[in-house]
Amino acid sequence: GIQVEQSPPDLILQEGANSTLRCNFSDSVNNLQWFHQNPWGQLINLFYIPSGTKQNGRLSATTVATERYSLLYISSSQTTDSGVYFCAVVGSGGSYIPTFGRGTSLIVHP
Amino acid sequence: ETGVTQTPRHLVMGMTNKKSLKCEQHLGHNAMYWYKQSAKKPLELMFVYNFKEQTENNSVPSRFSPECPNSSHLFLHLHTLQPEDSALYLCASSQVGPDAPQHFGDGTRLSIL
């Protein structure tokens, strides 16, 4: 099946800093989502982005499907951005079941 | 995250108890999923239902028994669990299709005494 690798595994920032999280995948995809899991365990949809670029406030994401990666940008980070960021993809092989990466754990210090 | 509701939010049970987790989605989706997330670990897919039919069972022990009476409801029946089953259990739903995003409930945090 499709492989998903996220980097870095851990990230520590000061409030106000910018960061880039990466998701690499091993095959072509029909679907790619970014999620934020907050410290209470809730998984929040950030972006549905199988290709192209989207922005939502301080967050933006870009997927370059032909090169098999996606980037999540966080600008002017806040302590509420802390948590784990997951990338999930659905390969183009016919399945509809997502494969999740292992996540990037982000801690933003005040 | 709205649209997918899980109850209870927290559950503490002994190893000999029987309990059930409930998931309900109001999004008109036709696929529902159970995931397990142990502390500091990634999500593990447990079961997938597609139009009420189970299409995926990811080698889950028989002490976990799923039930999907209709496309909007999903249950996970628990019996004689082990301490290593303590985890966050997440329910998700989506349309059936390769380009359909998933939506998650808030999870049930389960502790086995």
Side-chain angles (χ1 to χ4, degrees):
Chain A
I2 194 166
Q3 305 297 310
V4 182
E5 291 186 6
Q6 291 187 242
S7 59
D10 301 281
L11 188 57
I12 299 175
L13 300 174
Q14 279 303 124
E15 203 167 27
N18 302 328
S19 62
T20 301
L21 282 58
R22 188 176 181 104
C23 173
N24 290 336
F25 40 93
S26 60
D27 207 343
S28 56
V29 298
N30 285 323
N31 180 346
L32 187 145
Q33 284 183 268
W34 282 100
F35 294 92
H36 173 218
Q37 188 171 37
N38 64 25
W40 297 271
Q42 297 169 313
L43 266 169
I44 310 299
N45 275 313
L46 297 177
F47 295 103
Y48 168 69
I49 186 167
S51 63
T53 297
K54 291 186 178 180
Q55 180 152 8
N56 184 1
R58 295 180 298 102
L59 302 182
S60 64
T62 295
T63 297
V64 184
T66 51
E67 297 188 22
R68 300 182 182 170
Y69 72 89
S70 183
L71 301 174
L72 177 69
Y73 304 95
I74 304 174
S75 64
S76 304
S77 58
Q78 300 177 358
T79 55
T80 51
D81 295 330
S82 296
V84 183
Y85 290 80
F86 288 103
C87 168
V89 306
V90 175
S92 58
S95 173
Y96 61 91
I97 300 171
T99 298
F100 278 77
R102 298 184 66 86
T104 291
S105 176
L106 173 64
I107 297 174
V108 181
H109 288 302
Chain B
E1 181 87 1
T2 58
V4 182
T5 304
Q6 288 187 242
T7 54
R9 292 295 309 277
H10 302 272
L11 179 61
V12 180
M13 56 187 285
M15 288 191 286
T16 58
N17 292 157
K18 291 184 180 181
K19 296 286 184 183
S20 297
L21 310 185
K22 179 182 176 182
C23 177
E24 184 175 359
Q25 59 96 3
H26 309 279
L27 299 169
H29 292 161
N30 40 41
M32 297 188 78
Y33 311 73
W34 279 118
Y35 289 87
K36 174 186 178 184
Q37 188 181 31
S38 301
K40 306 292 185 185
K41 291 189 176 180
L43 278 72
E44 301 172 43
L45 180 66
M46 299 176 74
F47 301 105
V48 181
Y49 278 81
N50 176 349
F51 288 100
K52 304 186 298 177
E53 300 297 321
Q54 189 181 120
T55 59
E56 195 91 6
N57 177 337
N58 215 15
S59 302
V60 181
S62 59
R63 57 186 184 270
F64 295 91
S65 174
E67 179 190 0
C68 188
N70 55 60
S71 295
S72 299
H73 294 86
L74 184 66
F75 296 89
L76 188 62
H77 304 299
L78 316 171
H79 62 98
T80 58
L81 295 192
Q82 304 299 308
E84 62 265 27
D85 298 323
S86 297
L88 178 67
Y89 289 85
L90 289 157
C91 173
S93 70
S94 74
Q95 292 291 4
V96 173
D99 56 353
Q102 272 190 326
H103 296 260
F104 280 82
D106 289 344
T108 295
R109 197 165 294 279
L110 176 65
S111 298
I112 306 300
L113 300 178

